[in-house]
């Protein structure tokens, strides 16, 4: 779909063709009419839109990040919102609403007025939580999808002075002492919790999971020696590079460029891959013209250097999809989660 800016150019280029001396008065009238709309978007569709949609945005936009400030998701979302704000001509202000594995923030966004002034990050785990009954949101009906933005690089890390020098050593001890080794994650039923349980099932072992409100809190618990293993989306990276932590495995399809010696779970013989792409959305009922404006702005923002740099810092791959394609992707994940819930007996896990 063309942006507003390309639509303006098409209309402007053809606006003044075919003018004769006898038609000068009519031409001037039409040109004045056209100028009224060219500052917004002069296509037949936009000319018929309500004035409030044509003028959007007229004030700052609130962006709800459902994760704690300082975490990896928060870092990338702030860079993305800064770039989108430049494109929109209004600030996109990040507000952190944390808890329930990202569902508190998502619920707040979904319940907001659908006027384009409250948007936010959509954790892909809503496809799971909605089926588990943990959140009263239907991801197939209750949200407007704007863009899928980037994936996450999950990994398992421990303190550098821990007794486990490799994933194999961790697995061996977990097998000998079921439920004794603890791991910190960003919330029950979230990607890090479910991914670790999927790995445990594949390895035939059992861990003791310790949930936190987000990755930043989980990281501090491990750094403080309170929990054995951190499972998170690369908040461990700078600490691994500084020698404070040891990275045992990553969860993607491919090894991470700056940690080439660290195996993926698949490399280690476990057929488990977890990435959990982030996305941007709004409440259902959003004006189509406003949705189009936001899609265009976030398309530009995802391609911006500041967002790419923020993603590179945490080894997050850029995985852009426009709104309609992102919505289709969510529907596909929803079906996969239906099978995963049964396979891992997630309803029992969430209750525990």
């Amino acid at each position: 779909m063309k942006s507003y800016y390309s639509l303006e150019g098409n209309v402007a280029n053809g606006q003044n063709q075919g003018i004769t001396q006898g038609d000068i008065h009519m031409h001037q009238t039409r040109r004045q009419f056209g100028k009224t709309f060219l500052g917004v978007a002069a296509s037949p569709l936009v000319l018929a839109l309500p004035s409030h949609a044509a003028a959007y945005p007229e004030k700052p936009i609130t962006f709800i990040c459902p994760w704690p400030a300082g975490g990896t998701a928060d870092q990338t979302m702030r860079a993305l919102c800064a770039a989108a704000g430049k494109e929109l001509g209004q600030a996109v202000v990040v507000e952190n609403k944390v808890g329930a594995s990202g569902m508190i923030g998502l619920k707040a966004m979904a319940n907001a007025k659908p006027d384009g002034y409250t948007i936010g990050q959509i954790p892909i785990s809503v496809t799971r939580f909605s089926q588990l009954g943990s959140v009263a949101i239907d991801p197939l009906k209750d949200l407007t999808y704007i863009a899928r933005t980037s994936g996450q690089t999950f990994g398992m890390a421990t303190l550098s002075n821990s007794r486990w020098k490799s994933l194999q050593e961790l697995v061996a001890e977990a097998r000998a002492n079921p439920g004794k080794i603890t791991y910190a994650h960003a919330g029950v039923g979230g990607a890090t919790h479910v991914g670790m349980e999927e790995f445990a099932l594949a390895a035939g072992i059992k861990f003791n999971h310790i949930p936190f409100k987000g990755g930043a809190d989980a990281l501090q618990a491990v750094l403080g020696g309170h929990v054995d293993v951190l499972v998170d989306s690369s908040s461990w990276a700078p600490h691994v590079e500084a020698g404070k932590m040891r990275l045992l495995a990553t969860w993607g399809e491919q090894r991470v460029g700056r940690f080439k010696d660290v195996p993926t779970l698949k490399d280690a013989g476990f057929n488990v891959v977890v990435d959990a792409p982030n996305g941007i959305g709004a409440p259902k009922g959003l004006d189509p013209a406003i949705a189009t404006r936001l899609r265009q702005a976030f398309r530009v923002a995802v391609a911006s250097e500041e967002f790419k740099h923020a993603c590179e810092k945490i080894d997050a791959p850029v995985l852009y999809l426009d709104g309609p394609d992102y919505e289709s992707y969510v529907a596909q994940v929803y079906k996969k989660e239906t099978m995963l819930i049964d396979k891992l007996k997630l309803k029992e896990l969430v209750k525990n």
Side-chain angles (χ1 to χ4, degrees):
M1 181 176 290
K2 294 181 179 178
S3 70
Y4 285 121
Y5 303 107
S6 62
L7 288 172
E8 290 174 20
N10 291 342
V11 174
N13 289 338
Q15 184 79 35
N16 299 327
Q17 295 177 3
I19 303 299
T20 66
Q21 187 66 31
D23 295 329
I24 189 65
H25 177 70
M26 182 179 293
H27 164 64
Q28 290 174 337
T29 302
R30 289 174 177 170
R31 184 172 60 183
Q32 186 62 37
F33 178 78
K35 285 181 178 179
T36 304
F37 294 92
L38 285 175
V40 182
S43 71
L45 172 63
V46 177
L47 293 181
L49 292 172
S51 59
H52 75 276
Y56 175 85
E58 297 179 294
K59 61 182 180 179
I61 297 166
T62 296
F63 182 97
I64 297 178
C65 177
W67 309 109
T72 53
D74 177 74
Q75 293 174 41
T76 54
M77 290 302 101
R78 286 180 185 275
L80 185 69
C81 288
K86 293 177 183 177
E87 184 67 17
L88 290 164
Q90 289 284 354
V92 181
V93 182
V94 176
E95 179 179 336
N96 299 90
K97 288 184 178 293
V98 306
S101 299
M103 294 301 103
I104 288 178
L106 178 61
K107 184 68 173 176
M109 184 270 282
N111 287 342
K113 185 178 180 180
D115 58 3
Y117 290 103
T118 301
I119 60 176
Q121 183 185 354
I122 301 176
I124 193 63
S125 54
V126 68
T127 57
R128 182 184 315 127
F129 286 120
S130 61
Q131 298 186 67
L132 292 173
S134 303
V135 61
I137 295 176
D138 185 340
L140 305 181
K141 298 179 180 179
D142 296 341
L143 299 167
T144 298
Y145 291 90
I146 295 170
R148 191 180 77 175
T149 57
S150 61
Q152 299 183 59
T153 297
F154 293 110
M156 301 161 53
T158 186
L159 291 176
S160 57
N161 61 1
S162 75
R163 57 190 179 276
W164 307 295
K165 301 296 188 291
S166 67
L167 181 65
Q168 287 74 16
E169 290 183 6
L170 178 72
V171 169
E173 184 170 330
R175 189 169 286 134
N177 301 282
K180 297 294 184 182
I181 297 174
T182 59
Y183 73 89
H185 61 87
V188 175
T192 49
H193 177 216
V194 172
M196 193 67 163
E197 294 301 322
E198 189 175 5
F199 160 62
L201 180 65
I205 55 180
K206 183 175 178 60
F207 293 108
N208 180 12
H209 76 97
I210 311 296
F212 291 86
K213 288 185 177 181
D217 292 340
L219 170 65
Q220 292 306 314
V222 176
L223 288 175
H226 307 296
V227 185
D228 295 322
V229 179
L230 171 68
V231 182
D232 196 26
S233 56
S234 74
S235 63
W236 34 260
H239 302 283
V240 172
E241 290 184 319
K244 294 181 180 180
M245 300 188 80
R246 177 181 298 116
L247 184 60
L248 300 177
T250 55
W251 292 4
E253 284 282 359
Q254 306 293 331
R255 294 193 181 198
V256 177
R258 57 176 166 154
F259 302 109
K260 295 180 180 178
D261 295 334
V262 178
T264 65
L265 291 178
K266 290 185 73 173
D267 288 337
F270 308 104
N271 190 27
V272 177
V273 175
V274 183
D275 49 18
N278 296 315
I280 310 301
K284 68 176 180 180
L286 186 65
D287 188 302
I290 293 177
T292 298
R293 183 75 181 97
L294 287 168
R295 284 167 53 196
Q296 186 271 340
F298 278 94
R299 181 186 302 117
V300 172
V302 170
S304 69
E305 288 303 316
E306 49 260 68
F307 181 64
K308 290 180 181 178
H309 180 65
C311 289
E312 288 171 358
K313 285 178 63 178
I314 62 169
D315 304 291
V318 175
L319 300 172
Y320 174 76
L321 284 178
D322 191 17
D325 293 328
Y326 178 33
E327 185 173 5
S328 297
Y329 166 78
V330 170
Q332 294 170 10
V333 174
Y334 188 94
K335 292 179 181 178
K336 292 180 180 178
E337 290 292 353
T338 303
M339 295 182 287
L340 190 62
I341 287 169
D342 181 63
K343 177 183 176 182
L344 294 182
K345 296 181 172 57
L346 290 184
K347 291 183 178 180
E348 288 79 1
L349 278 179
V350 169
K351 291 178 182 178
N352 295 331

